[in-house]
Amino acid sequence: MAPTYDHPGERAADDPIRLLAVRDTPLSLDEVFRAVGDDAAGGTALFVGTVRNHDGGADVDALGYSSHPSAEAELRRVAEKVVAEYPVRALAAVHRVGDLVVGDLAVVVAVSCPHRAEAFAACRKLIDDLKHEVPIWKHQRFSDGTEEWVGSC
């Protein structure tokens, strides 16, 4: 049986969603990390998605992200599901739109929780659900001149 704790720091914060954005400007790891700082958090998990130089066996030169006007509202809905399921002390998620090149940051998400296992699980759920549910599309441009649209994220 797992131990139970009575300290308020073991529970989710009252308002843990600290930063949510879909932006056309470069993303900052420091901004996201600072947003999830919480004295009651013993674990912080951060995921960074970058533009890689290949996909499906083809070389990628660049890509562009576009989003539906509802993307930020959907991102909030996804974040609210995560904080309902885990004892989140703080959560942040930002996704880039516009033209990006190899190495650029495309998405940064972070979650802090009382313990590391919860932080890892909550962060994984946040990025996975963001990828599958938030209406953001990727337009990849390959070195051979072909291009491809990819569904959410």
Side-chain angles (χ1 to χ4, degrees):
M1 179 177 211
T4 58
Y5 304 98
D6 291 329
H7 192 279
E10 294 293 331
R11 295 187 291 273
D14 289 336
D15 189 16
I17 299 173
R18 306 273 176 83
L19 171 65
L20 297 176
V22 176
R23 298 183 175 154
D24 62 359
T25 56
L27 306 182
S28 165
L29 293 173
D30 290 337
E31 177 192 25
V32 173
F33 185 69
R34 279 192 311 272
V36 296
D38 188 285
D39 289 344
T44 299
L46 182 118
F47 173 82
V48 179
T50 56
V51 178
R52 64 181 180 266
N53 67 359
H54 68 282
D55 188 45
D59 292 334
V60 172
D61 284 343
L63 56 82
Y65 284 102
S66 59
S67 66
H68 188 272
S70 68
E72 282 193 11
E74 288 301 307
L75 181 55
R76 175 160 294 280
R77 186 185 59 74
V78 164
E80 288 170 350
K81 284 191 332 184
V82 172
V83 302
E85 187 172 333
Y86 297 93
V88 174
R89 299 298 306 173
L91 177 149
V94 291
H95 201 296
R96 180 96 184 263
V97 292
D99 292 327
L100 286 78
V101 297
V102 172
D104 281 348
L105 303 182
V107 61
V108 182
V109 301
V111 178
S112 61
C113 292
H115 304 279
R116 77 175 171 272
E118 300 157 341
F120 278 125
C123 189
R124 173 92 188 230
K125 181 165 181 57
L126 178 59
I127 188 61
D128 287 350
D129 288 359
L130 184 161
K131 181 172 175 128
H132 296 294
E133 298 178 28
V134 177
I136 297 173
W137 303 279
K138 177 170 58 174
H139 182 215
Q140 298 186 114
R141 293 182 290 283
F142 299 103
S143 296
D144 66 4
T146 62
E147 48 189 55
E148 168 187 54
W149 282 94
V150 181
S152 288
C153 291

